[in-house]
Amino acid sequence: MMTETARHPRLPTDTDNGLLVIISGPSGVGKTTITRGVERSFADSVFSVSVTTRAKTDADVEGVDYRFIDDATFDAMIERDELLEWADVFGKKYGTPRAWVEEQLARGRLVILEIDVDGARQVKEKLPDALGVFILPPSEEVLLERLRARKRESEEQIQKRFAEARREIAEAKDSDVYDTFVVNDDLERAMNEAVETVRLARRG
Ligand code: 5GP
């Protein structure tokens, strides 16, 4: 995926190993933990920080988890074609800044996107070499239990997330966006499987 362009002149630390990895999965499936595990396993990995119009929570770090922006700023980014992809998730917008991803790929880095199925589809259309990884719960019952165990939301909100998760899983399975589905039956095992999948893709 390495290309030398006027915008990205080659640096001594650049390699030809650039790989874009998309990690998706419903909420409550352990996706973020697995993503961070993949990130830690590759010395040259970088995590793409998305922009979003959703409100920042106490658990979020500005500029690390997301860049929190308002609707007008988001719309201006779409207008200027600054987003590689974007999607509406639970009524809020989320998007991946394009220039940064392109530069990191040109430098030969392992670039990780944690995005939803809609966004993943857009990325695969533009960059078919991207590796798509979808994290699945061992069963629907387990997913519902995990959503409840987080104790973050009311039962009504949990049911909404559960329905959304089922829809997203069905959509992911029907699409040809994902190269691999990793079942998170055991966090350590699932993380190793995701890391090995990325390692193989990088060799290939
Ligand atoms: P949360 O608000 O819980 O952090 O994320 C909600 C959902 O938005 C997750 O499924 C996450 O993968 C997705 N998401 C986060 N960033 C992006 C992005 O840049 N683009 C798209 N399409 N989805 C995103």
Side-chain angles (χ1 to χ4, degrees), residues 25 31 50 54 66 85-87 89 94-96 114-116 119:
K31 176 182 41 170
S50 298
R54 88 146 157 79
Y66 289 104
E85 60 74 36
W86 71 274
V89 185
Y94 295 77
T96 304
E114 190 186 324
I115 61 176
D116 80 336

Side-chain angles (χ1 to χ4, degrees), residues 17 50 68 71 109 121 124 132 145 152 168 175 199 201:
N17 266 341
S50 298
F68 295 91
D71 263 290
R109 305 268 156 73
R121 188 179 292 117
K124 269 282 205 178
E145 273 168 32
R152 276 199 218 161
E168 192 164 12
S175 75
R199 220 183 286 285

